[in-house]
Amino acid sequence: MRDGHTSRRAFLGASCGLAGAALIEPSSFLGSAFSSRAQDTPATGDTPADYSLTIATTPIELAPNRIISVTNYNGEFPGPLLRFKEGQRVTIDIHNHTDRPEQVHWHGQFVRADVDGAAEEGTPFVPPHSSRRISFVPGPSGLRFYHTHVRAGADLSAGQYSGLVGPVYIEPKHNPGAYDREVFLTLKEFQPTLSRGGDMAMDFLSPAATVPTLKDQGESAMRASLAKGNQHGYEVGYDAFTINGRMLGHGEPVRVKQGERVLFHVLNGSAGEIRSLALPGHTFTVVAMDGNPLPAPVRVPGLWLGTAERISAVVEMRHPGVWIMGDLSDDDRHHGMGIVVEYAGAKGKPQWLAPKPFKWNYTHFGRPGAPETPPDDTADDTFDMLFEKQNAASNGFNLWTINGVAFRGAASGASPTDQMMAPASFHLRQGRRYRLRMRNASDDIHPIHLHRHTFELTRIAGQPTSGVMKDVVMVGGYQEVEVDFVASNPGPTLFHCHQQLHMDYGFMSLFDYV
Ligand SMILES: [Cu+2]
């Protein structure tokens, strides 16, 4: 484990964490190359913060002789694992050593809008070459993460195309699940390039039923655009694929013993890819999605994760050998998306075997049937949202709209300072339960994220469900998904597709409380 993690844990164990901040050696949380620079930075107070994140562009070694230069946290990728305790306030110094204004978003937490890390909600930027100290009470418990939340536009070195992603684990007040140890895996691609049109895997979602009216609408819009002589809008592809920042075969293997129960915390830290993961001869028992415990654990042969989704799953190690835990896509795995799992005493070349084909159906993880609690007032408290693509409409990039509106500043492109707050499109009353009925009139899968709240999956492509609490959900091409949430965290709240390319080009909307 990383230094920061070990130090924090050791410290908490020794002193129960009381009045701990002042006693912590700040440099223990920093990559050694940056500790002195970070400590030199003024204006963050006399007391050391609990944690320190330094944003800078440094070399990162994905594999021997495959060293890239990316912006990252503390000189490493992924950023340091930050372990918080639910309900125990933390302070974090953010040092920005780049030329760009930055935001650190606390994905999946119920924090205030002024520290959530989205300019669209009113969080102040961390200006270039300066620092900001933030403080919040972590929660809810489980696997969360932090990442940059600035617009990249056409700049593939900015936003989440960079290495600005790191895992967060918030320890619950009581410890769920029986496992021997935890392993954190951050899945992330590097070396992005643009192409005209892409080949995203589409056929893994179940139910597969599409809505004819959405399909007709999306296909006729695309036909009309192509008939006018437009090419397909740009998509982003990648040359390097990594788990925990190393291409397959070039990182430390996950070393296991027969009979061990390993709890994997998997984070899809991609800027826009959907990922899969399998371990030959083993099954995953999913215990939590997006950090939130499921109604009951569910066994699956492999995992699928949309951009920004997280899965916590226990794997019982009962199949000795040296295995490749990797993506189902041969191409992506051959370009690095995998990690070796090595049993004690096992020798030889890591083996990959594709699992039997399986579909990914969110409703398998929930209870059958809709939630017992419907929205407070079904008519008033249901928000209909239609997602549409305008092919290549913004300098060759697809423009995205929610109910006909592209979020303000989207078409103007790359400058992160364009991210002004737009007027809210949806209005909430505190304490009420709302339903979002999302209708996707495009053929892409959109991993849809709501800030500062958790929602319950209630209907997936026509199939009712309940009990699965998430903050990101994939909405399949030409499909409908419904989620419910309680307006429990006043303040501006951003809603967006988590694909960097889509959110940058309009696929965002703001909720407010009235
Ligand atoms: Cu999208």
Side-chain angles (χ1 to χ4, degrees):
M1 275 302 147
R2 295 171 184 287
D3 290 347
H5 168 207
T6 311
S7 309
R8 175 72 176 168
R9 297 280 286 169
F11 172 76
L12 288 174
S15 72
C16 306
L18 284 172
L23 299 174
I24 295 177
E25 186 59 44
S27 59
S28 68
F29 297 107
L30 299 169
S32 54
F34 295 95
S35 54
S36 59
R37 291 172 68 188
Q39 282 172 313
D40 289 342
T41 308
T44 49
D46 297 331
T47 317
D50 299 328
Y51 299 90
S52 180
L53 293 173
T54 296
I55 300 167
T57 305
T58 77
I60 295 289
E61 186 178 291
L62 307 179
N65 298 318
R66 193 79 180 258
I67 300 165
I68 59 166
S69 178
V70 289
T71 308
N72 58 63
Y73 297 112
N74 295 4
E76 56 192 45
F77 183 86
L81 169 64
L82 303 183
R83 279 193 99 111
F84 302 143
K85 269 193 166 3
E86 189 179 20
Q88 186 174 305
R89 180 172 285 277
V90 292
T91 56
I92 300 163
D93 281 344
I94 305 165
H95 306 289
N96 180 5
H97 291 184
T98 73
D99 298 329
R100 286 192 268 246
E102 269 297 341
Q103 289 281 355
V104 180
H105 170 50
W106 301 96
H107 186 119
Q109 294 200 50
F110 301 160
V111 297
R112 286 189 348 207
D114 64 341
V115 295
D116 189 45
E120 297 84 351
E121 295 174 340
T123 315
F125 282 102
V126 186
H129 304 286
S130 60
S131 301
R132 184 176 176 225
R133 174 170 290 187
I134 61 167
S135 176
F136 58 82
V137 177
S141 63
L143 180 60
R144 315 281 156 204
F145 76 119
Y146 59 102
H147 63 82
T148 180
H149 208 293
V150 298
R151 227 171 263 181
D155 180 352
L156 299 186
S157 70
Q160 239 179 281
Y161 302 118
S162 71
L164 290 171
V165 173
V168 168
Y169 192 77
I170 304 176
E171 294 178 42
K173 287 168 182 155
H174 53 88
N175 213 353
Y179 57 87
D180 297 309
R181 66 197 181 89
E182 293 170 297
V183 174
F184 288 80
L185 302 178
T186 299
L187 283 42
K188 180 82 167 67
E189 307 78 11
F190 291 98
Q191 300 185 295
T193 50
L194 293 173
S195 64
R196 292 279 189 182
D199 57 350
M200 185 190 280
M202 297 296 292
D203 56 357
F204 63 95
L205 284 178
S206 170
T210 55
V211 179
T213 51
L214 293 173
K215 193 168 184 183
D216 292 348
Q217 202 174 332
E219 288 183 345
S220 68
M222 180 56 89
R223 267 196 307 273
S225 173
L226 298 176
K228 278 193 257 170
N230 291 319
Q231 290 185 276
H232 284 268
Y234 292 116
E235 301 287 350
V236 179
Y238 301 89
D239 287 342
F241 296 73
T242 68
I243 294 184
N244 291 348
R246 302 290 280 187
M247 296 171 77
L248 174 59
H250 299 295
E252 283 295 298
V254 178
R255 295 195 173 85
V256 302
K257 296 192 193 84
Q258 189 163 2
E260 238 181 350
R261 289 165 59 84
V262 179
L263 176 56
F264 286 96
H265 291 296
V266 186
L267 158 64
N268 181 350
S270 180
E273 296 285 289
I274 295 168
R275 295 260 64 101
S276 56
L277 199 66
L279 178 60
H282 298 76
T283 55
F284 294 86
T285 302
V286 179
V287 296
M289 284 183 150
D290 295 350
N292 306 312
L294 295 176
V298 177
R299 284 167 69 92
V300 288
L303 310 177
W304 282 92
L305 302 100
T307 308
E309 285 190 300
R310 290 91 65 208
I311 292 177
S312 302
V314 176
V315 177
E316 215 167 310
M317 296 296 167
R318 307 176 148 224
H319 200 58
V322 183
W323 303 106
I324 291 170
M325 184 185 216
D327 199 287
L328 299 178
S329 157
D330 292 337
D331 201 39
D332 293 357
R333 209 176 54 254
H334 294 154
H335 286 85
M337 189 50 80
I339 190 167
V340 175
V341 173
E342 186 181 292
Y343 278 71
K347 295 266 184 306
K349 206 166 164 271
Q351 302 294 311
W352 167 258
L353 294 165
K356 286 205 182 92
F358 65 96
K359 299 285 183 190
W360 191 250
N361 185 335
Y362 284 119
T363 70
H364 290 166
F365 300 93
R367 291 183 287 261
E372 281 163 29
T373 321
D376 281 324
D377 177 322
T378 306
D380 286 351
D381 296 341
T382 298
F383 297 141
D384 278 297
M385 297 177 152
L386 179 66
F387 305 152
E388 289 174 290
K389 170 163 79 178
Q390 294 176 19
N391 180 58
S394 179
N395 300 321
F397 289 87
N398 299 324
L399 192 65
W400 294 91
T401 62
I402 300 174
N403 294 345
V405 178
F407 196 76
R408 180 163 141 189
S412 63
S415 169
T417 48
D418 287 348
Q419 308 179 117
M420 308 297 287
M421 286 178 76
S425 301
F426 300 95
H427 309 291
L428 307 172
R429 283 176 202 283
Q430 190 173 0
R432 285 180 86 93
R433 186 178 172 93
Y434 292 90
R435 177 158 297 172
L436 304 180
R437 184 186 294 139
M438 299 178 279
R439 308 177 67 237
N440 179 8
S442 75
D443 59 355
D444 299 65
I445 299 172
H446 300 291
I448 300 293
H449 174 44
L450 180 65
H451 282 225
R452 305 174 62 247
H453 296 75
T454 297
F455 51 68
E456 180 174 8
L457 306 186
T458 54
R459 185 175 287 268
I460 305 290
Q463 206 168 315
T465 188
S466 55
V468 179
M469 308 300 295
K470 291 179 66 35
D471 53 59
V472 178
V473 63
M474 287 184 275
V475 179
Y478 304 130
Q479 292 195 325
E480 285 182 5
V481 165
E482 294 180 14
V483 301
D484 288 10
F485 71 100
V486 176
S488 56
N489 192 12
T493 297
L494 201 60
F495 169 95
H496 63 93
C497 175
H498 216 286
Q499 285 200 42
Q500 183 85 47
L501 190 62
H502 296 181
M503 65 177 266
D504 287 355
Y505 288 91
F507 207 144
M508 287 204 268
S509 195
L510 196 68
F511 290 51
D512 67 0
Y513 281 69
V514 293

